[in-house]
Amino acid sequence: MPLPQHIAIIMDGNGRWAEAKGRPRVSGHRAGVKAVREAVRVCRKHGIKALTLFAFSSENWRRPEREVALLMRLFMTVLSREVKLLRNNDVRLKVVGHTEAFSPELQQRIRKAEAMTADCQGLVLNVAANYGGRWDMLQATQKIALAASRGELDVEQIDEDTIARQLTMSDLPEVDLLVRTGGEHRISNFILWQAAYAELVFSPVLWPDFGEQALDDCLNEFAGRQRRFGQTSAQVEAQ
């Protein structure tokens, strides 16, 4: 069965899962941590190279202040609690996004967690936090513009590879499979460049309930699709 090298997941439905059970929304985020562990385990089982999880978007700051504060505290707790498990399972953690907007304490926790797993050679786990696809392309173009203004780069030399090298996750394969849980059908400003040719799968399962079977269902759907990359079906079949 053909498998993706790089899976990205929009972990949606935590709040609705909690509300359906009459619980505070943050309890859904806590329950979602178990689903993260399960997704990492399944990806390791299948030998997938990279897993990117959309944890906190640039737009999530607009949520109620109390919920954002609780999410930040949960993020710090999870970083401290899970990093040894990641290291023991040869998983390298990378936090991608505009992390400078976080508190100094959280930034320090992020750096420590990344350093503790830096030598791991198995799965790369990207946690997208304060991340947006438009932000990613903006920061890339700002770097390119600065290089051009310094005379380090000619405008005529700028191509797609120039931009791709400045994006977060530039050292990883482009996303093959983009999954959104929770029944919504949109990508919400997530990895706009890296997922240009990704297969999109929208699962009705709320994230806290998204276990091995749900992820395997997505992998099976991916395996059943023909990826043409602009070619015809006949050309792909001939290859």
Side-chain angles (χ1 to χ4, degrees):
M1 182 176 78
L3 290 169
Q5 293 187 74
H6 189 171
I7 300 174
I9 303 178
I10 301 173
M11 306 180 293
D12 195 16
N14 291 328
R16 284 176 286 150
W17 181 90
E19 289 169 350
K21 297 178 180 298
R23 301 176 187 173
R25 285 176 57 86
V26 72
S27 71
H29 297 295
R30 293 194 184 100
V33 175
K34 180 180 178 182
V36 170
R37 293 194 201 106
E38 186 71 351
V40 169
R41 185 188 68 78
V42 174
C43 286
R44 289 284 289 135
K45 171 184 172 182
H46 289 298
I48 289 163
K49 293 182 178 179
L51 171 65
T52 298
L53 301 176
F54 203 10
F56 189 84
S57 76
S58 308
E59 291 77 26
N60 284 157
W61 294 107
R62 302 171 186 169
R63 293 191 173 187
E65 186 176 340
R66 183 172 181 274
E67 182 176 346
V68 171
L70 289 170
L71 281 172
M72 292 300 106
R73 286 203 291 272
L74 178 62
F75 193 17
M76 284 197 290
T77 300
V78 170
L79 279 173
S80 300
R81 190 176 61 200
E82 302 292 321
V83 66
K84 289 183 180 178
L85 183 63
L86 294 175
R87 185 176 61 186
N88 291 341
N89 286 278
D90 202 27
V91 176
R92 179 160 60 101
L93 175 69
K94 295 177 65 178
V95 178
V96 296
H98 185 50
T99 57
E100 292 82 357
F102 294 140
S103 69
E105 182 183 3
L106 180 51
Q107 291 182 55
Q108 184 179 15
R109 294 271 184 103
I110 290 170
R111 289 192 294 269
K112 182 178 179 181
E114 289 179 328
M116 287 180 66
T117 63
D119 294 330
C120 294
Q121 300 297 313
L123 175 73
V124 177
L125 173 62
N126 299 302
V127 176
N130 196 26
Y131 175 91
R134 290 179 177 178
W135 166 84
D136 200 0
M137 289 189 283
L138 174 62
Q139 63 85 30
T141 54
Q142 287 174 333
K143 291 176 183 176
I144 294 167
L146 182 60
S149 70
R150 291 174 173 172
E152 300 167 359
L153 180 69
D154 292 333
V155 174
E156 292 77 13
Q157 294 177 310
I158 299 173
D159 56 16
E160 289 188 9
D161 287 339
T162 309
I163 298 171
R165 285 193 298 270
Q166 299 301 333
L167 295 168
T168 59
M169 301 183 287
S170 60
D171 57 330
L172 295 172
E174 289 194 351
V175 174
D176 299 305
L177 172 61
L178 173 59
V179 176
R180 182 178 186 132
T181 67
E184 302 288 354
H185 294 73
R186 56 181 177 273
I187 59 174
S188 296
N189 192 25
F190 186 39
I191 50 173
L192 301 178
W193 182 284
Q194 297 91 333
Y197 278 97
E199 297 297 319
L200 308 182
V201 176
F202 299 100
S203 169
V205 181
L206 301 175
W207 178 247
D209 294 327
F210 194 83
E212 180 171 7
Q213 185 58 58
L215 183 49
D216 280 346
D217 288 344
C218 296
L219 293 175
N220 288 331
E221 185 166 346
F222 173 86
R225 296 185 184 180
Q226 185 185 66
R227 307 187 74 200
R228 295 191 292 272
F229 298 100
Q231 296 180 311
T232 66
S233 294
Q235 286 176 302
V236 174
E237 289 167 4
Q239 293 172 0

